[in-house]
Amino acid sequence: MATELTPVSPGVVRVSWSPELQAEGLGPSVEAVRGALVRGFEAGNQRVEALVDPDDEAAQRIATFSGLMREGVARSVESGFDRIVYARLADDTPVDDPIGFRRLLNSFLPRKRAISQMLIRDTQERVLLCQLTYKKDWDLPGGVVEVGESPQLAVGREVEEELGLKLDTGRLVLTDWLPAWGGWDDAVCLVFDGGTHAPELVEQIVRQKREIKSARFCTVEEVHELCADFTARRIVSALINLTDTPGPGYTESGRG
């Protein structure tokens, strides 16, 4: 049989298709898999899923064009082979509806992590740095932008949560792309102006002890001593962009 529906649990079946069907091309394969989805739901199942080899691009296209939404990657211990999990629920919005089509696209299009940081200075031209509990080098205050959250709101939230400071978030001064590093995927770091304050601002800090060991204003020389090199470059680039003759508004690892 070109396609097969295998029961997985009550209300859940798994669709698979033969190599021979896949060899016929995208059109016939998609038509057959779509037919299997209809049969699966007509039989009373609430979920039809498929497990696809990450190296099989043709099978991934078949799953997507059939209306199966990508849910993630199931890592395997026993077989040693990871599988991409695709699925469709009985009450999902039809793909021919604009909302359903956008949801399908959203399930597999790339998503990039965003980080928001705040550049806070004092009247002695020093920068507020945080000593973090989870890494050796120091960094600007800030954190990861939550799903559906504005980066500008995110940095204000992070500064308040980590340091107990309620500061106005100013303009964006730098967009810095961070390549994949040390187990992290790549990300975009957005640095916002946190304004200039009296040195006594540090006395108002209430640390979130789970993440922040300490925080203090540091000179540019101390920035280079305490921060990772790419962080130091980012901070210097952001500082330059506060002047009347700004540097590049976009950098990669702090390099313009």
Side-chain angles (χ1 to χ4, degrees):
M1 189 174 180
T3 61
E4 184 176 358
L5 292 171
T6 304
V8 175
S9 60
V12 180
V13 291
R14 183 170 298 155
V15 61
S16 58
W17 52 91
S18 65
E20 292 76 16
L21 174 63
Q22 186 162 315
E24 293 182 21
L26 184 63
S29 300
V30 168
E31 183 178 357
V33 174
R34 284 179 177 173
L37 294 179
V38 172
R39 295 197 307 274
F41 292 132
E42 288 180 341
N45 294 289
Q46 297 301 305
R47 174 184 170 91
V48 180
E49 65 182 30
L51 300 182
V52 177
D53 186 340
D55 295 326
D56 193 340
E57 295 184 2
Q60 293 173 46
R61 287 195 294 272
I62 291 169
T64 299
F65 279 86
S66 299
L68 291 161
M69 291 195 283
R70 176 172 171 145
E71 294 185 338
V73 177
R75 297 178 297 164
S76 175
V77 175
E78 295 181 0
S79 68
F81 297 101
D82 294 347
R83 288 292 181 264
I84 302 175
V85 180
Y86 290 87
R88 188 154 193 87
L89 304 183
D91 59 356
D92 278 341
T93 306
V95 177
D96 57 5
D97 182 288
I99 293 177
F101 181 67
R102 288 194 293 268
R103 286 176 176 168
L104 176 65
L105 291 179
N106 191 62
S107 75
F108 68 85
L109 288 175
R111 301 181 185 184
K112 195 173 294 295
R113 181 178 294 113
I115 301 168
S116 282
Q117 295 187 326
M118 188 175 285
L119 185 66
I120 305 168
R121 291 147 291 125
D122 71 358
T123 52
Q124 299 176 25
E125 300 184 347
R126 298 178 299 178
V127 176
L128 185 66
L129 292 182
C130 296
Q131 183 183 22
L132 306 173
T133 60
Y134 50 87
K135 63 179 182 180
K136 294 181 179 179
D137 44 277
W138 294 50
D139 210 336
L140 293 173
V144 175
V145 180
E146 301 291 344
V147 175
E149 183 180 34
S150 152
Q152 191 172 41
L153 292 178
V155 71
R157 172 185 57 76
E158 286 283 349
V159 169
E160 184 174 357
E161 290 177 356
E162 294 180 348
L163 302 176
L165 299 175
K166 293 185 178 182
L167 303 178
D168 292 332
T169 303
R171 67 182 179 89
L172 178 68
V173 293
L174 184 69
T175 299
D176 186 34
W177 177 71
L178 307 176
W181 175 82
W184 289 102
D185 290 338
D186 72 316
V188 172
C189 183
L190 306 173
V191 183
F192 291 89
D193 183 11
T196 301
H197 306 267
E200 291 76 21
L201 180 71
V202 294
E203 299 173 8
Q204 303 174 29
I205 290 176
V206 180
R207 291 182 296 109
Q208 183 186 63
K209 296 182 180 179
R210 180 170 53 87
E211 294 189 19
I212 309 297
K213 287 183 180 179
S214 63
R216 62 184 176 90
F217 283 112
C218 299
T219 64
V220 173
E221 290 74 18
E222 290 173 317
V223 166
H224 286 285
E225 293 173 4
L226 298 172
C227 299
D229 56 354
F230 57 88
T231 301
R233 289 194 299 268
R234 182 189 316 133
I235 293 172
V236 170
S237 295
L239 287 170
I240 292 173
N241 285 342
L242 294 173
T243 66
D244 294 333
T245 54
Y250 170 80
T251 56
E252 296 186 355
S253 278
R255 295 187 176 96

